[in-house]
Each structure stands twice: as structure tokens, then as C-alpha cells.
Amino acid sequence: SQTIHQWPATLVQPVGSPLSLECTVEGTSNPNLYWYRQAAGRGLQLLFYSVGIGQISSEVPQNLSASRPQDRQFILSSKKLLLSDSGFYLCAWGPGQVNNEQFFGPGTRLTVL
Amino acid sequence: GESVGLHLPTLSVQEGDNSIINCAYSNSASDYFIWYKQESGKGPQFIIDIRSNMDKRQGQRVTVLLNKTVKHLSLQIAATQPGDSAVYFCAENSGGSNYKLTFGKGTLLTVNP
């Protein structure tokens, strides 16, 4: 069966510091991968998605970036965090075939102080 | 700055009652729909999906109804339990080479014992 991991689970970072969140998927190959951000009490905002190694599509211009160095690894980064980057970051994977369903990881709670 | 607090529609039911959560979607080209359940501090969990060539699909204690004429989706939960308390999101996909899901705002379901 497929599993998706995210780490760290929680993170507190000062403004201006760098960020690296990691997501890995097991039990599948060539998945579509997604990064979302969720503000408190709100819906899901798609940040980036990838349909293959090195292929990144950005949905929202901001100071975040994403990379996919391996088939089942997706990384979200920032060189300098802003207060507004605080939120719940979710990684998801999907088979990208007939139904385009997505399955989510446990999330990372980021607080920028 | 961002306001604090929930901005979600809410539904409060008694344990054992049936719950109906509604969702209106906007894209008439959407042909695949998913309901997710998100408990506090966790990632969304896939509940049930439906394709546009169906108008009803049943799972364990859950039923999804699709009305394409009025672009409306509903999730029915039978014999609601305290463990069903969560935020429920609908999501739509327009298919083809579009691997993205568009999420609704979510509904907070509270089950009273």
C-alpha cells in the first residue's frame, strides 16, 4: 500500500530564516505530487505541483519554491521566511490516471515569528 | 493581517442522526468529485468519490449524490457518530490532462453526544 510522509511535523522559525520541508511517498512510482498551504479555519491553497522529476508548476507567486530531485521526493523551500508564510503545509500524491484523486500527508505546522 | 477564527459553514447534529453536507461547484466541465474529511491538526482523508456519469454512490455509512443540472454535490452520513466530527471538503477535477483539484471552503460538522 502507498504511504506519504512529511517532516518535520511542527516547525517554529524566525522571520528571514530559510525553510526546507520534505515529503516522500512509498509504494508507488511516478506519482503526481502537490504542495498546499492551509491557513487556520480556511480551505486548501495549491502552491506547486509536479508530474515528474524536475517538473514543477507554480500556482501562486510568492517567496516559496519547490523541487523534485527524485521520483518520490518533493521539497518545499524558502530562502527567507515571512510572517505570512505561517500555516499548515500539506503534501499530497496522486496516480494522475483516470480519476486524478489525491491522498494527503499528515502536514507540517509552520509558525514564523 | 489575517483574522483569527473559523470562516466555515457549520452543521451541528445529534449522535445517531443522519447528516447532510452540501457543496456547490462552479465548473460545468468537472467530471470527477471527491469528499474529504479533515480532523483537527491532520491532513485531509479521502472518503468517497464519484464520476459525472453517476448520480449516486454509496460507501460504508456514506452516500454521495451528484446533481449536474444544478452543479450540486452532497455527502450523507448515516447514524452520525462523535468520531465523524471534522471539517468536510468537496473537491472537483475537470479531467483530461488537468491534474489539479479545486477545493470547496469546507463545512465543520459537530456531533453532539
Side-chain angles (χ1 to χ4, degrees):
Chain A
S1 63
Q2 300 85 8
T3 55
I4 179 168
H5 305 279
Q6 286 185 247
W7 64 91
T10 60
L11 189 61
V12 180
Q13 291 285 96
V15 169
S17 64
L19 174 73
S20 181
L21 302 182
E22 189 163 345
C23 171
T24 58
V25 182
E26 296 177 353
T28 187
S29 59
N30 197 31
N32 292 338
L33 297 172
Y34 307 83
W35 277 113
Y36 291 86
R37 178 169 59 205
Q38 186 176 35
R42 296 191 182 262
L44 297 162
Q45 179 188 32
L46 179 62
L47 303 175
F48 302 94
Y49 73 96
S50 171
V51 298
I53 297 175
Q55 301 179 59
I56 308 295
S57 296
S58 175
E59 291 295 298
V60 182
Q62 54 201 317
N63 71 323
L64 298 172
S65 62
S67 62
R68 184 171 178 174
Q70 300 180 45
D71 181 44
R72 288 167 289 179
Q73 183 184 30
F74 206 23
I75 297 172
L76 184 69
S77 304
S78 174
K79 293 182 179 178
K80 288 185 178 182
L81 284 168
L82 306 172
L83 286 174
S84 58
D85 291 323
S86 294
F88 193 43
Y89 287 83
L90 289 156
C91 181
W93 77 273
Q97 296 167 357
V98 178
N99 289 335
N100 293 328
E101 65 268 45
Q102 294 177 22
F103 302 96
F104 286 84
T108 294
R109 174 74 58 191
L110 172 66
T111 303
V112 182
L113 301 175
Chain B
E2 189 175 270
S3 59
V4 177
L6 294 176
H7 302 265
L8 303 171
T10 59
L11 175 65
S12 184
V13 300
Q14 291 297 122
E15 181 178 359
D17 287 352
N18 296 332
S19 302
I20 300 176
I21 301 171
N22 297 303
C23 179
Y25 64 94
S26 56
N27 188 352
S28 57
S30 293
D31 64 355
Y32 177 63
F33 306 86
I34 306 174
W35 278 101
Y36 287 93
K37 172 187 179 183
Q38 186 176 26
E39 297 176 75
S40 180
K42 298 183 179 180
Q45 176 187 2
F46 181 103
I47 301 174
I48 191 168
D49 59 358
I50 189 168
R51 291 204 66 84
S52 59
N53 60 354
M54 304 173 69
D55 53 22
K56 180 179 180 179
R57 191 167 187 220
Q58 289 184 292
Q60 186 176 15
R61 279 201 308 119
V62 295
T63 300
V64 55
L65 298 178
L66 175 63
N67 185 331
K68 296 180 287 294
T69 302
V70 295
K71 292 188 287 187
H72 183 267
L73 192 69
S74 68
L75 177 71
Q76 300 178 3
I77 305 174
T80 314
Q81 303 169 0
D84 295 326
S85 294
V87 176
Y88 289 81
F89 292 97
C90 63
E92 60 184 292
N93 174 261
S94 59
S97 60
N98 175 12
Y99 299 114
K100 297 183 288 185
L101 291 175
T102 302
F103 285 84
K105 294 182 179 179
T107 296
L108 173 62
L109 174 65
T110 301
V111 181
N112 302 308

